């Protein structure tokens, strides 16, 4: 019994470590990305630099013996290629959204993603549907999100187009990457980070070379360089903690955790510049975030059957 308690405590500590690290990186990343694409209006280039930096840093750390990183193997590359596509698609559409829309617009749409992800969890990953309390919380997210759109004074067609594309890609990303993390055997979490970032940045290097999609000389100000550097460093931490969280919690719970992190994002965004929502929009945004606090992770169906209890 003592050994089981110690194991449970260790697992609980690892979950808290993963959530804390992911929350810190996630809260900062959205605002830093917004600043980066505002200073360097070349989203594909910014993304390429972030992914290449993450892959290079992890590879070097592995070569120097600081961490364990899986070697490049054809079977693992094939298995992780769809992960890279989903990961790249979610991040690229995220950055394109931030190029045209304010941070709060993105957060509101993100807050409603657990609805679709919860259903996908049930269909594809063997979880129960959410409890009544969780469904009410998710319904509140939809109402608040609709209220935000109605009161959005900075409506931009391109911004809403890209956020809708991002929404579809993100929901697929949440489910498929959780499936891959659970089924593809890797030696360490750093291996997942390396494979995903390396495979994702390769097509962007080609795209940048063919389309000459790089910032002009006049755009390389000290502030722009600093924003890009910080976004690249945060990208390394974000990749690691995101994969660790995905391994430890359900896809829907991971999505809700990301939504809760955005409270800090809103505060940071308010403090640094004027590109944010109206007071009515903020009220709707806070309603979205409050609703996420009432969401409860649904159990696995096999665990419910084994215990013989109601999932609610």
């Amino acid at each position: 019994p003592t050994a089981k308690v110690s194991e449970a405590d260790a697992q609980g500590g690892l979950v808290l470590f993963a959530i804390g690290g992911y929350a810190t990186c996630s809260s900062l990343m959205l605002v830093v990305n917004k600043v980066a694409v505002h200073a360097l209006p070349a989203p594909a280039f910014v993304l390429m630099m972030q992914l290449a930096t993450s892959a290079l840093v992890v590879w070097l750390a592995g070569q120097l013996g600081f961490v364990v990183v899986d070697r490049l193997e054809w079977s693992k590359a094939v298995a992780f290629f769809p992960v890279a596509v989903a990961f790249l698609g979610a991040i690229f559409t995220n950055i394109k959204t931030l190029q045209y829309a304010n941070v709060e617009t993105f957060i509101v749409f993100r807050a409603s993603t657990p609805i679709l992800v919860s259903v996908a969890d049930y269909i594809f990953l063997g979880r129960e549907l959410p409890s009544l309390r969780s469904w009410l919380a998710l319904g509140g997210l939809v109402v608040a999100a609709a209220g935000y759109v109605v009161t959005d004074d900075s409506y931009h067609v391109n911004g809403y187009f890209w956020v809708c594309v991002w929404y579809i890609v993100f929901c697929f990303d949440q489910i498929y990457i959780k499936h891959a993390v659970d089924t593809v055997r890797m030696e360490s979490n750093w291996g997942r980070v390396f494979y995903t970032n390396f495979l994702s940045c390769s097509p962007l290097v080609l795209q940048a070379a063919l389309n000459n999609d790089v910032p002009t000389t006049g755009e390389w100000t000290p502030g722009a360089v600093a924003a890009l550097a910080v976004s690249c460093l945060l990208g390394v931490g974000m990749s690691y903690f995101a994969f660790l969280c995905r391994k430890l919690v359900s896809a829907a719970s991971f999505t809700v955790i990301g939504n809760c992190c955005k409270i800090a994002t809103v505060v940071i965004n308010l403090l640094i510049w004027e590109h944010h929502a109206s007071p009515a929009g903020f009220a709707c945004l806070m309603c979205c975030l409050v609703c996420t606090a009432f969401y409860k992770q649904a159990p696995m169906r096999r665990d419910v059957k084994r215990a013989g209890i109601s999932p609610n």
Side-chain angles (χ1 to χ4, degrees), residues 203-289:
L204 287 176
V205 173
L206 181 62
Q207 188 266 349
L210 293 176
N211 297 336
N212 196 29
D213 185 17
V214 296
T216 61
T217 304
E219 291 170 340
W220 286 101
T221 64
V225 173
L228 180 62
V230 172
S231 74
C232 289
L233 292 176
L234 279 175
V236 179
M238 184 77 168
S239 294
Y240 176 78
F241 287 113
F243 274 108
L244 190 58
C245 266
R246 290 178 195 272
K247 182 66 177 176
L248 298 173
V249 303
S250 73
S253 293
F254 178 75
T255 308
V256 172
I257 290 168
N259 289 342
C260 293
C261 298
K262 298 304 179 273
I263 295 176
T265 302
V266 172
V267 174
I268 295 168
N269 191 57
L270 272 172
L271 293 175
I272 65 171
W273 60 4
E274 73 279 3
H275 301 288
H276 44 70
S278 65
F282 272 115
C284 294
L285 171 60
M286 294 312 296
C287 285
C288 283
L289 296 175

Side-chain angles (χ1 to χ4, degrees), residues 14-74:
L14 182 60
V15 171
L16 289 176
F17 171 71
I19 292 175
Y22 176 72
T24 301
C25 295
S26 179
S27 299
L28 295 171
M29 192 71 181
L30 188 57
V31 175
V32 172
N33 271 346
K34 177 64 179 179
V35 175
V37 297
H38 182 76
L40 297 171
F45 175 80
V46 172
L47 178 55
M48 179 192 71
M49 292 299 295
Q50 291 175 354
L51 297 175
T53 299
S54 295
L56 181 61
V57 167
V58 173
W59 180 80
L60 286 175
Q63 292 299 304
L64 295 173
F66 294 121
V67 296
V68 176
V69 179
D70 296 66
R71 294 176 178 272
L72 277 176
E73 299 176 11
W74 177 252

Side-chain angles (χ1 to χ4, degrees), residues 80-101:
F80 253 75
F81 181 73
V83 173
V85 172
F87 180 73
L88 177 60
I91 297 179
F92 179 74
T93 51
N94 176 344
I95 291 181
K96 289 296 291 185
T97 299
L98 294 175
Q99 186 179 10
Y100 296 107

